[in-house]
Amino acid sequence: MNELLKTENVSYGYNGCPFFKGLGISVYEGELIGVIGENGSGKSTLIRLLTRPAEDGKIYYRSRLLSSMSRMERAREIAVIYQNEECSFPYTCFETVMMGLYPHGITKPDKRSLDFVKGVMELTDTLCFASKRINCLSGGERQKVLLARAFAQKPSLMLLDEAMSALDISARIKMTDIIYDKCRREGMTALLVMHDISLAFARCDRLLALKQGKVYAFDKPRALLDKKFFREMFNVEVEIDSDNKYFRIIM
Amino acid sequence: MDIDSALKKEKIKISLCTVLLLAILIAGMAASACMGAMDISTGDICRVIANKLFAAGFDIPGNVTAVVWNIRLPRILCAVFVGAGLAVAGVIFQGILQNPLADPYTLGISTGASFGASLAIILNILWGIYLPVPLCALVCALLTLASVISIASVSDGFKSSSLVIAGIIAGSVLSSGVSFIKMLAGENVSAVVFWIMGSLSAMGWSDVLMAAPVVIICTLLASVLALRLDIMALGEEAARSLGVNTAALRIVLLIIGSVMTAVCVCICGVIGFVGLIVPHLLRYMLTAKNRVLMPLSALFGAVLLLCADSAARILASGEIPVGVLTTLIGGPFFIFVFTRRERRGE
């Protein structure tokens, strides 16, 4: 597998206090990575770090310094959904999804882009409320629209910061499966910040576990499947019931 | 409703609205030109315009020509351009501040203009000099803009919240300055107060020539950036991730909106609510897309101020300052629209 994203000695701090120090991770094409950790462990900060040129250290995207890429180039490659994205204006869901095509120079819907956006909205179950205003939707519906916008961006890398937190369980599984499929079939790579541990262990290729701004573990879910990991990461006692094919985490 | 029919329906709605607003604007301009102490027919108005523009040679009395060409037409055109300018500036400010309740005056630009105008008026009275009031208002408005930008640029990425705070600081200081000038003015305070209230009386062709190019050029420039402004509504970080340079866009649009506001305010004083109501209503009635919203707001703003000014001329035996009328009517109307929308959960 080719390396898609690599951070080298990246450090970041708030108001002079260091938070991430010497962060070094590598992400490969086609991987679905779950970013897990307690509140305040640095998951959202990591997502932000990966979307902009590093102030301290180096971030490479396809062996190229992220800082050498133009804003538009980055937007064509990397789609991001931040935590709690809100829109104060009454754009329709269709208009919001269309904005995902902006990095590709498509500013008005023509037949081709219209069909593409329809397809993306159908995939994310948002076509049925395409003409509804985004500020009138429920939290879950809004998250689906934002996911559709991210898919419309046709990214090679998707960074989602709790972008499915308001979805019901079936929608959450469906969206994760869509992302999983895109990683498998189209070679897309995704980093998903998630609190749904079961889903993270069940679907992700690797899990990046963060604790107080440090990488606690970055490995395959199976390799992290032990009581000590849960105790040290989340301060919870679990029972793990597993065989070669299936596993169950009982909290 | 499927996307195709929704898009088609939206297109029809926008076209109808444009035609309707254009028709009202033309009819309103004609009616306003006929209206006044001297009874003048639409035909005579057309003849005066033809005489002036194409030397058509129609036989029109000199006093009719003077009233139409020197008094009514400049006033009507000023109402049209100032209304359009304030409405488009409203769209811009609401967009860059990501707040549908912002208006062209949120950042204290109008208070800067008021301060400049008040200072010029009072110095003219006290020292017997001739400082051009609109020019002083414009210079002070632009200086206010510069100070707002320099205060806000301290924050990382030139955030909208920093802009609002900088605007409030600048506005408060200048507002105290205006109060101080009013105190110094003593019995001449009415001149300052009347200017601040906003009026379109005594407009001349120089005012039209100042407003028209600025409003037209700024509207065109803003329209070019309309899609980026749409994307910025998704939020600062989301817009950046979609390739929009939010800091640069915000500063460019801030300058465009402020220049337009400053010119409008320095011509006719502070006219409230046009820049708030017009974009707000159109956004919820028709579309939030700035590419469509900007020209439509320009039309609607022009219609609204023209109608308000015509009403201000006929409602009282003297004349109500149009700024007072727009605020008097606009305020309650806005409360009605806002509470209705909130109740319907839009």
Side-chain angles (χ1 to χ4, degrees), chain B residues 96-116:
Chain B
I96 57 175
L97 299 177
Q98 289 162 21
N99 185 345
L101 297 177
D103 77 354
Y105 306 145
T106 306
L107 297 185
I109 309 295
S110 60
T111 321
S114 301
F115 178 79

PDB file of all heavy atoms in Angstrom, chain B residues 96-116:
ATOM      1  N   ILE B  96     -20.477  38.019   5.635  1.00  0.00           N
ATOM      2  CA  ILE B  96     -19.126  37.937   6.206  1.00  0.00           C
ATOM      3  C   ILE B  96     -19.158  37.797   7.725  1.00  0.00           C
ATOM      4  O   ILE B  96     -18.258  37.224   8.309  1.00  0.00           O
ATOM      5  CB  ILE B  96     -18.197  39.111   5.786  1.00  0.00           C
ATOM      6  CG1 ILE B  96     -18.801  40.456   6.162  1.00  0.00           C
ATOM      7  CG2 ILE B  96     -17.828  39.052   4.345  1.00  0.00           C
ATOM      8  CD1 ILE B  96     -17.854  41.624   5.869  1.00  0.00           C
ATOM      9  N   LEU B  97     -20.220  38.298   8.344  1.00  0.00           N
ATOM     10  CA  LEU B  97     -20.307  38.144   9.806  1.00  0.00           C
ATOM     11  C   LEU B  97     -21.059  36.864  10.180  1.00  0.00           C
ATOM     12  O   LEU B  97     -21.226  36.556  11.354  1.00  0.00           O
ATOM     13  CB  LEU B  97     -20.995  39.361  10.437  1.00  0.00           C
ATOM     14  CG  LEU B  97     -20.274  40.692  10.212  1.00  0.00           C
ATOM     15  CD1 LEU B  97     -21.056  41.846  10.799  1.00  0.00           C
ATOM     16  CD2 LEU B  97     -18.873  40.663  10.812  1.00  0.00           C
ATOM     17  N   GLN B  98     -21.511  36.134   9.162  1.00  0.00           N
ATOM     18  CA  GLN B  98     -22.265  34.878   9.337  1.00  0.00           C
ATOM     19  C   GLN B  98     -23.412  35.069  10.317  1.00  0.00           C
ATOM     20  O   GLN B  98     -23.656  34.254  11.207  1.00  0.00           O
ATOM     21  CB  GLN B  98     -21.329  33.760   9.796  1.00  0.00           C
ATOM     22  CG  GLN B  98     -20.391  33.338   8.685  1.00  0.00           C
ATOM     23  CD  GLN B  98     -19.192  32.577   9.168  1.00  0.00           C
ATOM     24  OE1 GLN B  98     -19.208  32.021  10.248  1.00  0.00           O
ATOM     25  NE2 GLN B  98     -18.141  32.535   8.386  1.00  0.00           N
ATOM     26  N   ASN B  99     -24.088  36.202  10.161  1.00  0.00           N
ATOM     27  CA  ASN B  99     -25.172  36.533  11.070  1.00  0.00           C
ATOM     28  C   ASN B  99     -26.307  37.174  10.282  1.00  0.00           C
ATOM     29  O   ASN B  99     -26.150  38.272   9.739  1.00  0.00           O
ATOM     30  CB  ASN B  99     -24.639  37.508  12.132  1.00  0.00           C
ATOM     31  CG  ASN B  99     -25.671  37.819  13.190  1.00  0.00           C
ATOM     32  OD1 ASN B  99     -26.846  37.543  13.022  1.00  0.00           O
ATOM     33  ND2 ASN B  99     -25.222  38.406  14.268  1.00  0.00           N
ATOM     34  N   PRO B 100     -27.460  36.500  10.189  1.00  0.00           N
ATOM     35  CA  PRO B 100     -28.552  37.055   9.394  1.00  0.00           C
ATOM     36  C   PRO B 100     -29.162  38.323   9.986  1.00  0.00           C
ATOM     37  O   PRO B 100     -30.011  38.941   9.368  1.00  0.00           O
ATOM     38  CB  PRO B 100     -29.586  35.920   9.353  1.00  0.00           C
ATOM     39  CG  PRO B 100     -29.207  34.977  10.428  1.00  0.00           C
ATOM     40  CD  PRO B 100     -27.775  35.180  10.747  1.00  0.00           C
ATOM     41  N   LEU B 101     -28.742  38.686  11.199  1.00  0.00           N
ATOM     42  CA  LEU B 101     -29.282  39.909  11.803  1.00  0.00           C
ATOM     43  C   LEU B 101     -28.279  41.071  11.773  1.00  0.00           C
ATOM     44  O   LEU B 101     -28.495  42.098  12.405  1.00  0.00           O
ATOM     45  CB  LEU B 101     -29.719  39.629  13.250  1.00  0.00           C
ATOM     46  CG  LEU B 101     -30.857  38.607  13.382  1.00  0.00           C
ATOM     47  CD1 LEU B 101     -31.172  38.343  14.829  1.00  0.00           C
ATOM     48  CD2 LEU B 101     -32.100  39.085  12.663  1.00  0.00           C
ATOM     49  N   ALA B 102     -27.183  40.889  11.041  1.00  0.00           N
ATOM     50  CA  ALA B 102     -26.222  41.995  10.917  1.00  0.00           C
ATOM     51  C   ALA B 102     -26.752  42.968   9.859  1.00  0.00           C
ATOM     52  O   ALA B 102     -27.625  42.627   9.068  1.00  0.00           O
ATOM     53  CB  ALA B 102     -24.867  41.446  10.486  1.00  0.00           C
ATOM     54  N   ASP B 103     -26.240  44.171   9.863  1.00  0.00           N
ATOM     55  CA  ASP B 103     -26.605  45.125   8.809  1.00  0.00           C
ATOM     56  C   ASP B 103     -25.401  46.018   8.485  1.00  0.00           C
ATOM     57  O   ASP B 103     -24.352  45.864   9.111  1.00  0.00           O
ATOM     58  CB  ASP B 103     -27.881  45.907   9.187  1.00  0.00           C
ATOM     59  CG  ASP B 103     -27.626  47.006  10.207  1.00  0.00           C
ATOM     60  OD1 ASP B 103     -26.507  47.103  10.707  1.00  0.00           O
ATOM     61  OD2 ASP B 103     -28.571  47.763  10.489  1.00  0.00           O
ATOM     62  N   PRO B 104     -25.538  46.907   7.499  1.00  0.00           N
ATOM     63  CA  PRO B 104     -24.349  47.686   7.103  1.00  0.00           C
ATOM     64  C   PRO B 104     -23.797  48.541   8.241  1.00  0.00           C
ATOM     65  O   PRO B 104     -22.694  49.063   8.132  1.00  0.00           O
ATOM     66  CB  PRO B 104     -24.882  48.575   5.967  1.00  0.00           C
ATOM     67  CG  PRO B 104     -26.088  47.898   5.468  1.00  0.00           C
ATOM     68  CD  PRO B 104     -26.686  47.184   6.615  1.00  0.00           C
ATOM     69  N   TYR B 105     -24.590  48.737   9.298  1.00  0.00           N
ATOM     70  CA  TYR B 105     -24.143  49.627  10.372  1.00  0.00           C
ATOM     71  C   TYR B 105     -23.537  48.871  11.559  1.00  0.00           C
ATOM     72  O   TYR B 105     -23.101  49.488  12.523  1.00  0.00           O
ATOM     73  CB  TYR B 105     -25.313  50.486  10.855  1.00  0.00           C
ATOM     74  CG  TYR B 105     -26.001  51.254   9.738  1.00  0.00           C
ATOM     75  CD1 TYR B 105     -27.361  51.477   9.742  1.00  0.00           C
ATOM     76  CD2 TYR B 105     -25.261  51.748   8.667  1.00  0.00           C
ATOM     77  CE1 TYR B 105     -27.988  52.180   8.711  1.00  0.00           C
ATOM     78  CE2 TYR B 105     -25.868  52.438   7.630  1.00  0.00           C
ATOM     79  CZ  TYR B 105     -27.231  52.655   7.655  1.00  0.00           C
ATOM     80  OH  TYR B 105     -27.824  53.340   6.638  1.00  0.00           O
ATOM     81  N   THR B 106     -23.538  47.540  11.489  1.00  0.00           N
ATOM     82  CA  THR B 106     -23.060  46.733  12.618  1.00  0.00           C
ATOM     83  C   THR B 106     -21.608  47.064  12.988  1.00  0.00           C
ATOM     84  O   THR B 106     -21.253  47.026  14.158  1.00  0.00           O
ATOM     85  CB  THR B 106     -23.173  45.224  12.277  1.00  0.00           C
ATOM     86  OG1 THR B 106     -24.511  44.980  11.886  1.00  0.00           O
ATOM     87  CG2 THR B 106     -22.830  44.335  13.452  1.00  0.00           C
ATOM     88  N   LEU B 107     -20.800  47.371  11.994  1.00  0.00           N
ATOM     89  CA  LEU B 107     -19.378  47.582  12.284  1.00  0.00           C
ATOM     90  C   LEU B 107     -19.016  49.039  12.564  1.00  0.00           C
ATOM     91  O   LEU B 107     -17.843  49.401  12.561  1.00  0.00           O
ATOM     92  CB  LEU B 107     -18.522  47.039  11.138  1.00  0.00           C
ATOM     93  CG  LEU B 107     -18.639  45.531  10.922  1.00  0.00           C
ATOM     94  CD1 LEU B 107     -17.670  45.063   9.858  1.00  0.00           C
ATOM     95  CD2 LEU B 107     -18.371  44.758  12.212  1.00  0.00           C
ATOM     96  N   GLY B 108     -20.011  49.854  12.798  1.00  0.00           N
ATOM     97  CA  GLY B 108     -19.741  51.229  13.211  1.00  0.00           C
ATOM     98  C   GLY B 108     -19.344  52.176  12.091  1.00  0.00           C
ATOM     99  O   GLY B 108     -18.932  53.314  12.352  1.00  0.00           O
ATOM    100  N   ILE B 109     -19.478  51.715  10.831  1.00  0.00           N
ATOM    101  CA  ILE B 109     -19.088  52.563   9.700  1.00  0.00           C
ATOM    102  C   ILE B 109     -19.991  53.813   9.651  1.00  0.00           C
ATOM    103  O   ILE B 109     -19.526  54.928   9.411  1.00  0.00           O
ATOM    104  CB  ILE B 109     -19.197  51.799   8.353  1.00  0.00           C
ATOM    105  CG1 ILE B 109     -18.468  50.445   8.434  1.00  0.00           C
ATOM    106  CG2 ILE B 109     -18.708  52.626   7.174  1.00  0.00           C
ATOM    107  CD1 ILE B 109     -16.993  50.506   8.631  1.00  0.00           C
ATOM    108  N   SER B 110     -21.293  53.597   9.895  1.00  0.00           N
ATOM    109  CA  SER B 110     -22.232  54.721   9.834  1.00  0.00           C
ATOM    110  C   SER B 110     -21.963  55.706  10.973  1.00  0.00           C
ATOM    111  O   SER B 110     -22.084  56.919  10.791  1.00  0.00           O
ATOM    112  CB  SER B 110     -23.661  54.221   9.934  1.00  0.00           C
ATOM    113  OG  SER B 110     -23.830  53.540  11.147  1.00  0.00           O
ATOM    114  N   THR B 111     -21.571  55.168  12.138  1.00  0.00           N
ATOM    115  CA  THR B 111     -21.271  56.066  13.262  1.00  0.00           C
ATOM    116  C   THR B 111     -20.038  56.897  12.917  1.00  0.00           C
ATOM    117  O   THR B 111     -19.968  58.082  13.271  1.00  0.00           O
ATOM    118  CB  THR B 111     -21.015  55.245  14.551  1.00  0.00           C
ATOM    119  OG1 THR B 111     -21.925  54.159  14.581  1.00  0.00           O
ATOM    120  CG2 THR B 111     -21.193  56.079  15.788  1.00  0.00           C
ATOM    121  N   GLY B 112     -19.086  56.272  12.225  1.00  0.00           N
ATOM    122  CA  GLY B 112     -17.900  57.011  11.769  1.00  0.00           C
ATOM    123  C   GLY B 112     -18.306  58.144  10.839  1.00  0.00           C
ATOM    124  O   GLY B 112     -17.830  59.277  10.969  1.00  0.00           O
ATOM    125  N   ALA B 113     -19.210  57.815   9.893  1.00  0.00           N
ATOM    126  CA  ALA B 113     -19.683  58.842   8.952  1.00  0.00           C
ATOM    127  C   ALA B 113     -20.435  59.944   9.702  1.00  0.00           C
ATOM    128  O   ALA B 113     -20.240  61.141   9.421  1.00  0.00           O
ATOM    129  CB  ALA B 113     -20.587  58.203   7.912  1.00  0.00           C
ATOM    130  N   SER B 114     -21.267  59.552  10.664  1.00  0.00           N
ATOM    131  CA  SER B 114     -22.019  60.544  11.454  1.00  0.00           C
ATOM    132  C   SER B 114     -21.068  61.462  12.206  1.00  0.00           C
ATOM    133  O   SER B 114     -21.286  62.674  12.281  1.00  0.00           O
ATOM    134  CB  SER B 114     -22.922  59.851  12.476  1.00  0.00           C
ATOM    135  OG  SER B 114     -23.815  59.010  11.833  1.00  0.00           O
ATOM    136  N   PHE B 115     -20.008  60.861  12.752  1.00  0.00           N
ATOM    137  CA  PHE B 115     -19.021  61.652  13.499  1.00  0.00           C
ATOM    138  C   PHE B 115     -18.370  62.685  12.572  1.00  0.00           C
ATOM    139  O   PHE B 115     -18.263  63.862  12.900  1.00  0.00           O
ATOM    140  CB  PHE B 115     -17.963  60.722  14.106  1.00  0.00           C
ATOM    141  CG  PHE B 115     -16.874  61.443  14.845  1.00  0.00           C
ATOM    142  CD1 PHE B 115     -17.096  61.912  16.137  1.00  0.00           C
ATOM    143  CD2 PHE B 115     -15.642  61.682  14.258  1.00  0.00           C
ATOM    144  CE1 PHE B 115     -16.108  62.591  16.824  1.00  0.00           C
ATOM    145  CE2 PHE B 115     -14.649  62.359  14.934  1.00  0.00           C
ATOM    146  CZ  PHE B 115     -14.878  62.811  16.221  1.00  0.00           C
ATOM    147  N   GLY B 116     -17.956  62.217  11.388  1.00  0.00           N
ATOM    148  CA  GLY B 116     -17.309  63.112  10.417  1.00  0.00           C
ATOM    149  C   GLY B 116     -18.239  64.239   9.997  1.00  0.00           C
ATOM    150  O   GLY B 116     -17.838  65.410   9.949  1.00  0.00           O
TER     151      GLY B 116
END
